[in-house]
Amino acid sequence: MNPQLPRSRHEWFPSSVTLEHRGPYPAEVLGHRRDGMILPRFTAATARQIADDTPAESPGVPVIRFTSNAVEVLGPGHPPSVLEHCTPDAAGQYAFGHGTLPWREHTTTDPSRFTRALEEAQASGYPPETLDAWTIAFADHGHRMAVLAVFRTPDEDAAAYDALYNALYSSGLSSYETTAVQADHAELAARRHFSRERARLAPGDTVWPTVAPATRITADPH
């Protein structure tokens, strides 16, 4: 875990994730990442479903085995090596595949136009608003957010600012802008803010309007 985020160690937020082309699966995710990868946990029923959906011949994905009291992630070999042995946490959930499985947050909104705009902006370079100014781009699904990217906020006079705003707006996507020491802090602030705003919503509840691009939120104290 990131040593600079001690209070986030057990802060879980509602989400939905996929594994390659399998899922989506209901989950909770931590408010920070490991090497850019989200860190989910699942109920026993969902963990069993993930194991059932991941056959041994799946290319590029380790075998997942659900036993009577644990989830095991298996590596190649005969017999296969156990990469991870995960027992339920205090809440009865299984937090596995952290760093070994390519989890992605699920969204029903197409992010491809925004993704291309972000890749182009980062490839060409742009002046940031400040070094501690961050944008958290996400899809707003009412009771949960699906974070797409965390990047330094371009200066408002830079072409990248308008390009990214327009890509988010035209795709029906959202973003927060805030200040933080680093990207993990910014993402955690965004998830905390969204969670507070949507605390009373249940899965399937409709929200309109969704969060607009470039919505400013206050910095999250640590």
Side-chain angles (χ1 to χ4, degrees), residues 14-85:
S15 189
S16 177
V17 305
T18 59
L19 179 61
E20 296 293 332
H21 300 295
R22 285 167 284 277
Y25 304 106
E28 293 179 339
V29 297
L30 283 171
H32 62 281
R33 299 170 186 246
R34 178 182 297 169
D35 298 327
M37 300 175 68
I38 58 170
L39 308 174
R41 71 175 181 177
F42 309 91
T43 64
T46 301
R48 185 182 297 277
Q49 184 63 58
I50 294 169
D52 290 344
D53 290 348
T54 310
E57 64 272 14
S58 295
V61 178
V63 174
I64 301 169
R65 180 169 63 192
F66 191 92
T67 68
S68 59
N69 66 344
V71 174
E72 292 183 336
V73 180
L74 307 179
H78 300 282
S81 57
V82 178
L83 302 178
E84 185 177 356
H85 181 87

Side-chain angles (χ1 to χ4, degrees), residues 6-220:
R7 290 174 50 223
S8 72
R9 184 178 295 274
H10 299 298
E11 288 186 64
W12 298 93
F13 301 89
S15 189
S16 177
V17 305
T18 59
L19 179 61
E20 296 293 332
H21 300 295
R22 285 167 284 277
Y25 304 106
E28 293 179 339
V29 297
L30 283 171
H32 62 281
R33 299 170 186 246
R34 178 182 297 169
D35 298 327
M37 300 175 68
I38 58 170
L39 308 174
R41 71 175 181 177
F42 309 91
T43 64
T46 301
R48 185 182 297 277
Q49 184 63 58
I50 294 169
D52 290 344
D53 290 348
T54 310
E57 64 272 14
S58 295
V61 178
V63 174
I64 301 169
R65 180 169 63 192
F66 191 92
T67 68
S68 59
N69 66 344
V71 174
E72 292 183 336
V73 180
L74 307 179
H78 300 282
S81 57
V82 178
L83 302 178
E84 185 177 356
H85 181 87
C86 174
T87 55
D89 61 17
Q93 301 211 50
Y94 295 80
F96 66 95
H98 292 186
T100 59
L101 298 175
W103 302 112
R104 295 178 65 89
E105 284 196 275
H106 173 66
T107 177
T108 55
T109 306
D110 183 5
S112 58
R113 181 175 178 181
F114 162 72
T115 301
R116 288 194 300 271
L118 180 60
E119 289 174 349
E120 290 171 0
Q122 292 178 327
S124 60
Y126 60 80
E129 179 183 291
T130 61
L131 291 180
D132 65 348
W134 299 92
T135 293
I136 304 90
F138 63 96
D140 182 350
H141 290 290
H143 80 292
R144 67 177 181 90
M145 66 191 308
V147 175
L148 302 172
V150 182
F151 55 95
R152 282 196 166 88
T153 304
D155 185 274
E156 289 191 6
D157 292 331
Y161 189 92
D162 287 341
L164 291 169
Y165 180 95
N166 291 336
L168 288 165
Y169 182 83
S170 63
S171 302
L173 296 170
S174 306
S175 69
Y176 288 141
E177 294 180 0
T178 192
T179 56
V181 174
Q182 60 189 55
D184 272 357
H185 288 189
E187 181 172 344
L188 179 59
R191 291 192 186 274
R192 284 173 172 167
H193 180 87
F194 188 91
S195 183
R196 288 192 298 268
E197 291 289 308
R198 304 295 176 81
R200 297 183 180 181
L201 292 184
D205 285 354
T206 301
V207 171
W208 189 259
T210 56
V211 175
T215 295
R216 292 274 182 172
I217 61 174
T218 58
D220 192 34

